[in-house]
Amino acid sequence: MSAEAPLPRHHLPPARLAELMRGEGGPATLDLLLGGERSRRLLLLRILDDTTDLGPAWNLISKAQSIAPQVVDEVLMYPQTGMWLTTALRRLRGRAPVEEPPLWVELGHMGALAAAAALRAGLDFTIQVPVRHGRVPLPTLGCAVLPMAEPWGYATVRAEAEHAVVETAGAEVAIPRTTASAAPGWHPVRRLRVGPREHRLDIALDDVDPYRTYPQPTEPRPLSGEAAEQWRQLLEQAWDVLLTEQPETARAMQRGLLSLTPTPAGERFRPRSVSAGDAFGGVEASEPDDAVQLAVTLVHEFQHTKLGGLLHLAPLLTHDSGEPTELWYAPWRNDPRPIEGLLQGIYAFMGIVRFWREHRKTDATQPAMAHFEFALWRTQVARAMEQVRRHRRLTPLGTALLETLRDHCSQWLAEPVPEESLALARFCADDHVARWRAHHLRPSTPAVDAAVRAWLDSAGGPPVSLESAPETVSDPSARWLDSLTVLVRHRLSSRDDDRISRDGPEKAAARVTGALTGDALLALDDATAARHAYLADLTAEPGSAAAWAGLGRALTMAGTDPEAARLLCRHPERARAVHQALFRVTGSAPDPVRLATWLGSPPV
């Protein structure tokens, strides 16, 4: 590979930058981002070669480039190559925890990259590559499995006269001439090709590359043929949805969506997916509930890909000055997020809002669900943006990007949504933020102590000091804050086995991890029963953040105890903190509704 060739200077013309600032970006914009990413990969590879001698691997990949530059480019631009490069460099610089594999195995992966490029270029060669728990991954091609007892070792990849093998002492695996074919000891990287010829998506279904999972590498988990076919069918249906409803996004995905890493299915309505800025074009996703969910996942992670490419060319934030990290509410997360993570989420969920905005026009099977998702996520994205739109660390580009997204979101907020879906979306959005506040916001200790004294002295209201801004402290126990939202999705689903019934709220709650019986009753609009259920939960577990937030929602729905309802919906953290402090001081717990009513009265 010629490392001396001059690299281009990259910039985004105003029209292309404007596309990205709107959360969009067509094929031409993706080509510019890919060009920037290619230069970045070359620079990282050169840094790695300067840091540690890549030797025979560098020579072999350079030879492959001289006769098949397109092949080497495809190997270089493979998402997993980017993940490996940054992982190896971080380990060399001591910026990553020392974990498996040993460093020499990490660095030796360059030999596997060179072997894959040389095989695809049709070269005769011999090169040593690392073995990881008996497996030899060859990026973009597949993985050979050897009978080795040791976790780490070396194997030789040899190619001569169109015959290629991976071998160790006493064992050999033949690499099929058509590497996409399975063979004894050989698991190929499957390619999924879906859609009509002129709009075809060609993507690797990678279940064997160790760097296919983000941010930590993992061992190969080859799919069965039946599972791979299931993924192909789901992707074909999802691609049809995207071509019909998001044609410009689909055209860009044809250029910038390069690999899909399958993981086992999660809980219904709780898909898991991840991408990484270092793995441009790669998506790791759990098996989806259906094709629409997969389409949403691809849009979501492709947004991260585009923003990651932009961030490699221009910053949205100035460098952290070393001050304590500020943490913010992210409506799609359980935990508080730094501004860097919040911006990523805002950009990704703008794409999700855009998806549901279009999909609700065509979804004849579950229109209420589509309207609900559109209304929910436009509300949540707007709420997230308002927190940081004038943040001091935003660069001019960062400010312009947020203002552009905010303008678009404002227009979407004005679009009509059927009343039931709109009410449910607001209900779930408010519930999520209340649960988050109950977990992560801490009123000051002096203010809580003053409230305890005032309560015990039968004061007419809480102290003014309790209204001071609370501190954000990440609570590691905060999980499943979307439980009520998931139950609402079950309610809106057209599938019979998703339905929740009034005669079995406990069973309904048991189907959704983290859900309380009161949550299921709220999803069924039974506010009175929900109130009793939440109070029972607080008797058993007075510190339950979900029960404090849910109680406020139940009181609001029932139209009773307005001061308590208002306090618990807006500031459940105050009730939770004072209630726990009173229990510590007196050994008994006050009635939650009575305490919340007192805390919601005018301060003294």
Side-chain angles (χ1 to χ4, degrees):
M1 175 176 288
S2 176
E4 305 301 327
L7 296 175
R9 294 183 66 86
H10 298 278
H11 73 283
L12 290 169
R16 304 305 176 202
L17 184 58
E19 286 183 359
L20 292 172
M21 289 173 64
R22 295 192 301 269
E24 302 168 359
T29 301
L30 261 292
D31 285 343
L32 292 171
L33 294 179
L34 283 163
E37 187 63 22
R38 180 181 182 276
S39 290
R40 180 176 179 271
R41 299 268 177 97
L42 287 170
L43 287 169
L44 292 175
L45 197 56
R46 180 55 186 267
I47 293 169
L48 187 62
D49 186 49
D50 288 344
T51 307
T52 178
D53 184 10
L54 297 178
W58 183 274
N59 296 334
L60 181 58
I61 203 169
S62 296
K63 185 177 180 181
Q65 187 194 38
S66 67
I67 64 170
Q70 181 61 35
V71 163
V72 174
D73 262 7
E74 289 176 6
V75 173
L76 177 70
M77 291 303 295
Y78 198 52
Q80 282 60 285
T81 301
M83 204 68 213
W84 164 73
L85 269 170
T86 52
T87 300
L89 285 169
R90 289 188 185 111
R91 287 195 65 178
L92 281 170
R93 295 178 177 183
R95 296 179 181 174
V98 179
E99 298 176 350
E100 293 186 347
L103 182 59
W104 61 266
V105 174
E106 199 101 74
L107 298 177
H109 189 70
M110 179 65 186
L113 286 165
L119 283 168
R120 294 179 58 181
L123 294 175
D124 290 348
F125 68 93
T126 300
I127 192 169
Q128 198 174 54
V129 296
V131 183
R132 313 163 69 111
H133 296 282
R135 301 179 180 91
V136 177
L138 298 179
T140 74
L141 295 180
C143 176
V145 181
L146 296 166
M148 288 184 63
E150 299 80 9
W152 318 108
Y154 282 110
T156 299
V157 180
R158 191 186 316 278
E160 184 177 1
E162 298 187 358
H163 175 68
V165 297
V166 181
E167 58 187 11
T168 58
E172 178 181 289
V173 171
I175 302 175
R177 185 171 299 180
T178 303
T179 54
S181 302
W186 176 254
H187 295 289
V189 172
R190 298 176 176 90
R191 305 247 13 138
L192 301 183
R193 297 175 176 88
V194 296
R197 182 180 297 275
E198 63 275 16
H199 299 299
R200 179 162 296 167
L201 177 66
D202 185 343
I203 188 171
L205 184 69
D206 196 337
D207 51 359
V208 295
D209 194 300
Y211 298 95
R212 74 197 183 283
T213 53
Y214 318 128
Q216 299 296 329
T218 57
E219 293 306 309
R221 295 191 185 95
L223 293 174
S224 67
E226 293 79 6
E229 175 59 20
Q230 172 71 6
W231 272 97
R232 190 199 66 77
Q233 292 178 12
L234 284 166
L235 183 64
E236 188 167 46
Q237 296 164 16
W239 188 242
D240 183 61
V241 171
L242 292 171
L243 284 176
T244 302
E245 301 173 12
Q246 308 275 327
E248 189 70 3
T249 296
R251 289 177 59 225
M253 284 181 177
Q254 286 179 268
R255 306 286 182 91
L257 200 57
L258 306 176
S259 79
L260 175 62
T261 296
T263 60
E267 193 172 296
R268 182 136 172 85
F269 298 118
R270 278 176 169 159
R272 301 183 308 272
S273 65
V274 64
S275 54
D278 295 325
F280 188 100
V283 173
E284 179 186 350
S286 61
E287 183 182 333
D289 296 341
D290 52 41
V292 172
Q293 189 181 86
L294 179 57
V296 174
T297 295
L298 295 179
V299 167
H300 177 181
E301 299 304 340
F302 193 58
Q303 289 290 104
H304 284 303
T305 291
K306 291 185 295 183
L307 186 60
L310 174 60
L311 289 172
H312 287 161
L313 299 176
L316 301 181
L317 297 166
T318 59
H319 289 296
D320 195 339
S321 62
E323 298 175 0
T325 301
E326 291 179 288
L327 297 175
W328 304 91
Y329 171 58
W332 35 83
R333 298 275 302 210
N334 294 316
D335 56 333
R337 298 290 287 161
I339 188 171
E340 293 85 353
L342 187 63
L343 289 180
Q344 283 281 353
I346 288 169
Y347 198 81
F349 276 85
M350 279 293 289
I352 288 179
V353 178
R354 181 179 287 108
F355 174 89
W356 287 112
R357 179 173 179 262
E358 295 303 317
H359 188 68
R360 71 195 189 115
K361 301 173 184 177
T362 60
D363 190 342
T365 58
Q366 299 193 98
M369 181 82 81
H371 287 302
F372 167 78
E373 299 289 356
F374 171 65
L376 174 67
W377 293 119
R378 69 179 182 178
T379 300
Q380 299 291 49
V381 170
R383 178 172 278 162
M385 282 193 284
E386 287 305 312
Q387 297 179 101
V388 295
R389 57 183 293 248
R390 300 187 187 280
H391 197 278
R392 65 185 181 281
R393 285 185 57 203
L394 287 169
T395 64
L397 177 61
T399 299
L401 181 140
L402 265 188
E403 289 302 315
T404 303
L405 296 178
R406 183 171 176 269
D407 288 345
H408 273 69
C409 196
S410 296
Q411 296 173 29
W412 295 341
L413 284 166
E415 293 187 8
V417 172
E419 186 56 39
E420 181 185 6
S421 295
L422 182 62
L424 284 172
R426 289 172 176 167
F427 189 72
C428 291
D430 290 344
D431 177 77
H432 190 278
V433 71
R435 291 175 191 238
W436 186 92
R437 291 183 67 95
H439 272 289
H440 300 297
L441 297 190
R442 299 286 187 274
S444 72
T445 299
V448 172
D449 291 343
V452 168
R453 290 193 298 271
W455 171 268
L456 295 176
D457 291 342
S458 301
V464 175
S465 59
L466 201 59
E467 295 191 339
S468 59
E471 182 184 5
T472 302
V473 180
S474 185
D475 177 2
S477 72
R479 302 185 69 192
W480 319 116
L481 303 190
D482 64 343
S483 295
L484 181 58
T485 305
V486 173
L487 284 163
V488 167
R489 291 188 177 113
H490 277 279
R491 166 180 164 175
L492 294 174
S493 173
S494 60
R495 277 182 30 172
D496 289 340
D497 56 348
D498 279 337
R499 300 298 176 83
I500 54 178
S501 61
R502 296 184 181 278
D503 58 352
E506 294 85 1
K507 292 182 179 179
R511 292 162 59 188
V512 177
T513 305
L516 303 176
T517 300
D519 299 336
L521 290 164
L522 277 187
L524 291 167
D525 295 330
D526 192 341
T528 301
R531 169 181 173 150
H532 292 308
Y534 287 128
L535 288 173
D537 287 328
L538 289 173
T539 298
E541 187 182 347
S544 171
W548 280 110
L551 179 60
R553 208 66 40 209
L555 297 177
T556 300
M557 182 185 289
T560 62
D561 307 286
E563 293 85 0
R566 183 168 55 252
L567 184 282
L568 291 175
C569 287
R570 296 178 182 178
H571 302 288
E573 71 279 3
R574 295 180 189 173
R576 185 182 185 223
V578 174
H579 191 271
Q580 289 178 308
L582 280 167
F583 184 79
R584 287 194 300 269
V585 170
T586 66
S588 62
D591 176 75
V593 176
R594 180 167 167 257
L595 176 64
T597 298
W598 180 78
L599 289 170
S601 61
V604 175

